[in-house]
Amino acid sequence: MAGEVRISYLKSHSKVRDEEGLEPRKFHSRGVKVPRNFRLLEELEEGQKGVGDGTVSWGLEDDEDMTLTRWTGMIIGPPRTIYENRIYSLKIECGPKYPEAPPFVRFVTKINMNGVNSSNGVVDPRAISVLAKWQNSYSIKVVLQELRRLMMSKENMKLPQPPEGQCYSN
Amino acid sequence: MAEPSGAETRPPIRVTVKTPKDKEEIVICDRASVKEFKEEISRKFKAQQDQLVLIFAGKILKDGDTLNQHGIKDGLTVHLVIKTPQKAQDPAVATASSPSTPDPASAPSTTPASPATPAQPSTSGSAISDAGSGSRRSSGGGPSPGAGEGPPSTTASILSGFGGILGLGSLGLGSANFMELQQQMQRQLMSNPEMLSQIMENPLVQDMMSNPDLMRHMIMANPQMQQLMERNPEISHMLNNPELMRQTMELARNPAMMQEMMRNQDRALSNLESIPGGYNALRRMYTDIQEPMFSAAREQFGNNPFSSLAGNSDSTSSQPLRTENREPLPNPWSPSPPTSQAPGSGGEGTGGSGTSQVHPTVSNPFGINAASLGSGMFNSPEMQALLQQISENPQLMQNVISAPYMRSMMQTLAQNPDFAAQMMVNVPLFAGNPQLQEQLRLQLPVFLQQVICLLFPATSHCLSLLALLQIQQGLQTLQTEVGQRGSAGSNTGSAPEAPTSSPATPATSSPTGASNAQQQLMQQMIQLLAGSGNSQVQTPEVRFQQQLEQLNSMGFINREANLQALIATGGDINAAIERLLGSQLS
C-alpha cells in the first residue's frame, strides 16, 4: 500500500519521530516549518489510528493519491442536538499551501448549519473561526472537531435538518 | 506493496473498534469482508448488525467491501456508531468542555420521551460503560486511582441518596407535592423501574432535578454529608461540578442506565480488586466515602433502620465494616422480612426493614402518633413503616409538620372526628383491641387537638413547654398508678386531658389482657411529650453552636450576622462564609 510505504519511509528517516504517537504539535513548537507532505502523512496516520475521542474520523479519499490533497472526513452528530446519531460526511481539500493555508471543507451529507452553504454544503471559511483564523498548527482533526463543536452551539443545535442520508449533488 | 514479513499466511489482525463511549479489540482475518467484521462486532457490542455503522479514515465501510480494500491493518482504529431506532442511544457522559480528558465526549442524553426499555441492552450497556468511565474521567482524574474510583461510586451513592432524597426533598421544602404521595411513589418505584422514568418526567421533578444548585443544597443540608465533604474534598468538588451533577441527574432519570452503570461499576470495582494493592484502595474508598454516604442517605430516612430490624442492636457491627456490603439492603417499605428490591448491592442507600410494629424506644417519641396520623391517609403498612422511620428523626418530623399542607390537613383532621376515627381504626396497635379503639374514638376530638397543639412547635414555646411538663408529670404518675393496678382501662385515652396528676377514672372497663398494650401506649405518650418538649428547646443558636464558634475563630465577630447566615445556609459553614463575605462586599 502506498500509504504504508510513505509512513515507513517517514519513520525510518525522521529523526524526530522516535516513538509512536508523537504529537505533531511538538514539531511546531520548535519553530520548524514542517513540509506539507510530512504533515499530511502524520495526519493520515492519526486518522487511521483513531486519535481523539472517536467522534470524528478522517482519511485520504484515495489511497493512491500521492499529493495527499483530497481527504474525506466524518463527523458523528453530537448527542442532545438535532444532529444526534447522524453521520456527516465531508470532503476536505488540502491545497499546496497547506498547512500555511487552511483547507477547503465541504459537507457531502446535507446539513443545516450556520456557516455551511445550504445548496452545496461548502463551509464558509469566514464563518468558521478556525478557518478564518487559521494557524499552521491546526489540522484536519481540529477542523472537524470544531465543526462538531459548532453543532452543539445554541444557534445550531436545534436547527431543523433535512432527512437523513441526503447528499449534496455535485 | 510493502507488507510486513510473514504475512503470507495472513495472520489475523487486531483492530480496535471505538464508539464514542467504548472501545473493543476485534481480532479478524485481514482478508475478511466488512460484513464478517460486523458480525464480530455485533457479537462483542451486543448490537444488531444492521445497527452498526463503521467508519474508517473518514469513510463509511460498506458491507461488500473488504478490510484490505480500505487499508485496515493491525493496530488501527475503526470508529463505530451504533444506530438504534429510538431517539435515545449513545448517551455519552461529561461535556466537551473539559479539555484535559482524552474523552470529553458530550453531555449525557436524556430519554425524555421514552421510558427506559430493556429493548436495547447493547446501547445502554455501552452507554453505561461510558457513563461510568466518563464520570471517572470527567472527575478530572482523581489524585489517586483509589480516589479516582471514588467519584463514580459516590455518583452511584449520590444517586441512591437522590432516590431517597427525592422523596424527602419535598419535606424539607414543603413543596406543593404531597410528601406522602411521593413516598408512596418511591416505594412503587423501587419495584417498578419504568415507573421511575415516568415519575422523572413529572415536570416538577424535572425542574427540581434540573437545578443543580437545588440538588446540591439538598445534599449539603444533610450534616453527615457535610462531615463527609469535609473529610473528602473530592466529594465537594464533585458536587460543585455542575456537569457532573447534571450527568448524575440525567442518570437518575434513566433507571435502566443506572442499573447498567451500577453493574459496570461493580465490574470495574472487581477489576480494581484484582490489581495488587487494589483491594486496599477499595477498602479505603469504601470506608471513607461509601459508608458515610450510605449512613447519610439512610439517616434521612430516619436513622438506622437496622435498629428496628435487629431489635436495637447495631447491625453494622455484625458485618465487617471494611468490606463492601454484598448482601442486598433490606427494603424499608416492605412489611415482610426484608427483600432486596434495590438494584445492586450498593445501589440504594435506603435500607431498613419495614416493621409496622412500633417499638417503644426513646428515639421513637412520635412512633405511635405518626402511625396513627399517617396511616389513616394511606392504608398501607409500608407507609406506616416509612412514617415510623421519619418520626425517628424529630427534625424531619418538624419539617414535615411545618409544611403548610400538613398543617391544614391536621386542622381538618381535628375538625373532622369521623375521619380521624377512621384513621385510628387502622393503627395496628389498636387494631387488636376494639375496646381501646372505642375509648379513643370517644376521646378523639380532644385528643387530637392536644396532639396537634403539641406538634406545632411554632406556637408559643413557653406556654406549651409548661403545659408539656405538667402533662409529662401527670403521665408519669399515671403510669406508676397503672403499673400498680395492673389494669389501666381507658386511662390512656384520658391521659392527655389530665394535666394534673390525678388519675382519671376509667371511662369504660377494659379487659386486663389489654394492659400491656396500654402500658406501651402510655410509655409512648410520655416519650412523645418528652420528645416534643426537647425538640423545641433547640433553637438555631444551639444547633449551630459549633459553627458559630468556628466562624468566630475565623474572625467573623458579628454573631447576629453569623447566625443569620448559618440559618440561611442550614448550617453549612462554607456557604455561610460566602454569604457573609458577599454581604460585606456589597
Side-chain angles (χ1 to χ4, degrees), chain A residues 31-44:
Chain A
V32 172
K33 200 148 165 271
V34 183
R36 174 184 179 273
N37 286 1
F38 267 49
R39 259 294 294 275
L40 287 169
L41 278 175
E42 246 177 8
E43 296 198 39
L44 179 65

Side-chain angles (χ1 to χ4, degrees), chain B residues 272-299:
Chain B
L272 256 194
E273 240 179 298
S274 57
I275 302 173
Y279 182 66
N280 287 336
L282 272 181
R283 196 162 61 157
R284 224 183 317 129
M285 172 183 84
Y286 177 69
T287 41
D288 285 349
I289 297 172
Q290 274 187 341
E291 235 197 293
M293 284 217 75
F294 285 154
S295 37
R298 243 182 270 138
E299 189 203 81

Side-chain angles (χ1 to χ4, degrees), chain B residues 156-161 258 262 266 294 329 342-350:
Chain B
S157 320
I158 278 188
L159 284 178
S160 55
M258 252 259 281
M262 291 310 303
D266 287 341
F294 285 154
L329 291 175
S345 62
E348 298 289 330
T350 61

Side-chain angles (χ1 to χ4, degrees), chain A residues 1 48-49 52 57 60 79 164, chain B residues 1 18 58-59 77 83 106:
Chain A
M1 181 72 75
Q48 289 181 338
K49 291 234 186 77
S57 173
L60 270 181
E164 204 171 337
Chain B
M1 303 259 180
K18 225 178 175 186
K59 293 199 207 81
T77 300
K83 288 178 158 302
S106 33

Side-chain angles (χ1 to χ4, degrees), chain B residues 183-496:
Chain B
Q183 298 289 7
Q184 218 181 20
M185 270 197 322
Q186 248 193 316
R187 179 178 48 85
Q188 289 174 11
L189 287 186
M190 300 274 265
S191 43
N192 186 358
E194 284 209 354
M195 208 183 154
L196 177 66
S197 54
Q198 285 174 28
I199 300 300
M200 291 294 177
E201 287 154 38
N202 179 1
L204 193 74
V205 170
Q206 276 194 350
D207 275 343
M208 209 166 66
M209 295 206 102
S210 57
N211 185 353
D213 282 334
L214 196 58
M215 297 307 272
R216 197 188 322 155
H217 191 74
M218 283 202 304
I219 296 180
M220 309 231 280
N222 187 337
Q224 283 218 0
M225 271 302 293
Q226 288 172 11
Q227 276 179 19
L228 188 63
M229 288 205 320
E230 279 163 40
R231 273 190 274 144
N232 291 332
E234 296 130 21
I235 298 194
S236 48
H237 284 316
M238 199 175 61
L239 280 179
N240 289 334
N241 180 357
E243 315 300 352
L244 196 52
M245 290 287 286
R246 208 172 300 130
Q247 158 215 327
T248 46
M249 291 192 290
E250 305 288 1
L251 280 175
R253 280 190 230 214
N254 187 348
M257 212 194 320
M258 252 259 281
Q259 287 189 19
E260 290 289 344
M261 181 171 137
M262 291 310 303
R263 251 176 263 151
N264 245 42
Q265 282 189 2
D266 287 341
R267 239 195 303 142
L269 285 177
S270 53
N271 283 343
L272 256 194
E273 240 179 298
S274 57
I275 302 173
Y279 182 66
N280 287 336
L282 272 181
R283 196 162 61 157
R284 224 183 317 129
M285 172 183 84
Y286 177 69
T287 41
D288 285 349
I289 297 172
Q290 274 187 341
E291 235 197 293
M293 284 217 75
F294 285 154
S295 37
R298 243 182 270 138
E299 189 203 81
Q300 286 223 333
F301 270 104
N303 270 330
N304 194 349
F306 292 117
S307 65
S308 57
L309 166 64
N312 284 354
S313 75
D314 195 305
S315 79
T316 53
S317 63
S318 66
Q319 194 192 61
L321 287 176
R322 299 259 163 186
T323 61
E324 289 176 35
N325 179 16
R326 298 192 199 277
E327 293 175 352
L329 291 175
N331 186 346
W333 294 293
S334 68
S336 56
T339 57
S340 70
Q341 299 217 0
S345 62
E348 298 289 330
T350 61
S353 75
T355 59
S356 5
Q357 265 207 352
V358 175
H359 294 273
T361 62
V362 182
S363 68
N364 189 3
F366 294 141
I368 185 164
N369 238 14
S372 67
L373 280 179
S375 68
M377 289 269 162
F378 303 92
N379 302 335
S380 61
E382 295 91 344
M383 206 46 56
Q384 287 175 9
L386 195 68
L387 286 169
Q388 168 204 340
Q389 287 179 8
I390 291 174
S391 66
E392 281 175 346
N393 186 350
Q395 188 66 20
L396 214 53
M397 197 62 178
Q398 275 194 358
N399 286 345
V400 168
I401 287 158
S402 51
Y405 59 85
M406 274 298 274
R407 215 178 279 240
S408 55
M409 177 182 95
M410 294 226 211
Q411 275 167 4
T412 45
L413 215 56
Q415 287 154 13
N416 192 349
D418 293 323
F419 189 33
Q422 254 187 350
M423 276 184 2
M424 296 309 246
V425 169
N426 290 323
V427 174
L429 196 61
F430 299 147
N433 190 350
Q435 287 85 352
L436 204 50
Q437 280 178 25
E438 267 303 312
Q439 295 163 19
L440 274 168
R441 213 171 303 187
L442 293 172
Q443 315 287 349
L444 211 43
V446 189
F447 175 68
L448 274 176
Q449 276 181 0
Q450 296 274 349
V451 161
I452 288 171
C453 290
L454 293 178
L455 290 178
F456 283 3
T459 58
S460 52
H461 285 216
C462 307
L463 283 180
S464 28
L465 261 182
L466 279 177
L468 281 173
L469 283 174
Q470 280 184 329
I471 297 176
Q472 198 176 351
Q473 287 168 2
L475 281 180
Q476 275 175 353
T477 334
L478 271 176
Q479 196 186 15
T480 47
E481 287 276 3
V482 164
Q484 285 169 9
R485 289 196 193 170
S487 72
S490 66
N491 279 355
T492 59
S494 52

Side-chain angles (χ1 to χ4, degrees), chain A residues 89-102:
Chain A
S89 183
L90 297 90
K91 276 210 211 304
I92 300 155
E93 208 169 292
C94 297
K97 295 227 179 62
Y98 183 88
E100 301 303 320

